[in-house]
């Protein structure tokens, strides 16, 4: 049985594809390096974070002590890819409808697609970062774990969660204009509470269960498990995470459709 939001996406799949293509291509249109920025940006981020945390702060990753700074860089960058995907989607969500207010008056335009385009664009940039990560692993360690092929399933809860949050925040952003500022502050705090720069196991035991309540921590740990450590993902995570993400998408989509009835009056 197909969910309501799935039927909408399938019905508008051609329009969705064109919107995603336009969004991705439009970001680099007119720049001298063009598409090269999608690879250059994560590469520069990797270099800077590696230098600062491994050389300035002398940070090491617990289970990769023998790899030194390279082991730290690989683990940190894997977590950073996940967080950046989430942050890019969530940071833009409150202004999605406001920035495309001309679509609100066009009744036939499916406004719910704006959130899907936002998430799909962020996924594209996350994939380019994954390519950089894989090349870095190949150069530093001489191998790329085959378990990285599990990443599409590992990221299903992440993508579903991002989509659900986009529908919620984009609808709320129309009625509560301050929510964009609140989201920006929350993302800055969340970056340091999501085990991006450290493994969850490095925290005192009393704090580990608390931080484990953050879904991003679980997703980042599972990403490192398959993309860095070469281990299989947790079957329980894949099952529960996917079910919860689908349920969240369905509920948030229905809420968005109800909220959109008042968009024209507010805008």
């Amino acid at each position: 049985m197909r969910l309501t939001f799935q039927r909408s996406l399938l019905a508008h799949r051609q329009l969705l594809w064109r919107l995603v293509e336009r969004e991705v291509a439009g970001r680099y249109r007119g720049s001298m390096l063009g598409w090269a920025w999608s690879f250059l940006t994560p590469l520069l981020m990797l270099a800077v974070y590696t230098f600062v945390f491994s050389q300035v702060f002398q940070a090491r990753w617990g289970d990769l002590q023998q790899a030194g700074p390279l082991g730290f860089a690989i683990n940190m960058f894997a977590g950073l890819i996940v967080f950046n995907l989430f942050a890019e989607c969530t940071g833009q969500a409150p202004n999605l409808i406001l920035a495309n207010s001309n679509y609100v008056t066009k009744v036939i335009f499916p406004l719910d697609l704006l959130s899907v385009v936002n998430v799909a664009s962020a996924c594209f940039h996350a994939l380019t970062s994954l390519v950089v990560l894989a090349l870095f692993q190949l150069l530093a360690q001489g191998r790329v774990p085959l378990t990285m092929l599990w990443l599409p399933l590992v990221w299903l809860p992440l993508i579903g969660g991002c989509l659900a949050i986009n529908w919620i925040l984009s609808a709320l952003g129309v009625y509560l204009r301050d929510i964009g500022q609140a989201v920006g502050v929350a993302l800055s705090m969340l970056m340091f509470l999501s085990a991006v720069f450290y493994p969850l196991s490095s925290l005192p035991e009393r704090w580990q269960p608390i931080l484990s309540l953050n879904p991003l921590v679980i997703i980042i740990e599972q990403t490192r498990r398959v993309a860095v450590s070469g281990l299989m993902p947790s079957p329980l995570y894949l099952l529960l995470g996917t079910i919860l993400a689908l349920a969240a998408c369905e509920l948030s989509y229905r809420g968005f459709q109800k909220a959109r009835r008042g968009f024209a009056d507010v805008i």
Side-chain angles (χ1 to χ4, degrees), residues 114-252:
L114 294 176
S115 294
V116 185
V117 171
N118 187 34
V119 173
S121 175
C123 287
F124 170 81
H125 295 102
L127 289 176
T128 59
S129 296
L130 278 177
V131 173
V132 173
L133 175 64
L135 291 175
F136 188 68
Q137 285 180 288
L138 192 61
L139 293 174
Q141 300 178 334
R143 67 179 184 87
V144 177
L146 290 177
T147 50
M148 189 179 281
L149 296 174
W150 281 96
L151 270 182
L153 291 179
V154 171
W155 278 11
L156 268 180
L158 171 64
I159 296 172
C162 287
L163 188 54
I165 291 174
N166 263 250
W167 278 324
I168 294 172
L169 292 181
S170 62
L172 289 176
V174 177
Y175 301 100
L176 303 173
R177 303 299 173 93
D178 291 337
I179 197 170
Q181 302 296 326
V183 168
V185 174
L187 287 175
S188 298
M189 297 171 58
L190 197 60
M191 185 177 190
F192 295 96
L193 298 175
S194 299
V196 173
F197 304 109
Y198 53 86
L200 185 63
S201 58
S202 67
L203 296 175
E205 291 186 2
R206 67 178 183 276
W207 293 110
Q208 291 183 23
I210 298 176
L211 259 71
S212 295
L213 297 176
N214 178 359
L216 275 180
V217 172
I218 301 173
I219 296 171
I220 288 174
E221 289 291 305
Q222 289 295 316
T223 298
R224 289 183 178 132
R225 183 179 174 90
V226 300
V228 179
S229 301
L231 301 174
M232 300 291 286
S234 166
L236 183 61
Y237 161 79
L238 294 179
L239 179 62
L240 291 182
T242 302
I243 292 175
L244 290 175
L246 290 175
C249 283
E250 182 66 12
L251 291 174
S252 59

Side-chain angles (χ1 to χ4, degrees), residues 12 15 102-113 260:
H12 302 101
L15 174 61
N102 57 312
Y103 289 144
V104 175
T105 56
K106 298 179 180 179
V107 182
I108 61 172
F109 186 84
L111 291 175
D112 54 281
L113 291 189
R260 67 169 293 176

Side-chain angles (χ1 to χ4, degrees), residues 32-59:
M32 293 181 62
L33 295 180
W35 289 88
W37 280 112
S38 61
F39 290 94
L40 186 60
T41 301
L43 189 61
L44 291 174
M45 288 173 53
L46 175 60
V48 170
Y49 277 112
T50 300
F51 173 76
V52 171
F53 283 94
S54 66
Q55 300 301 316
V56 178
F57 294 116
Q58 296 294 313

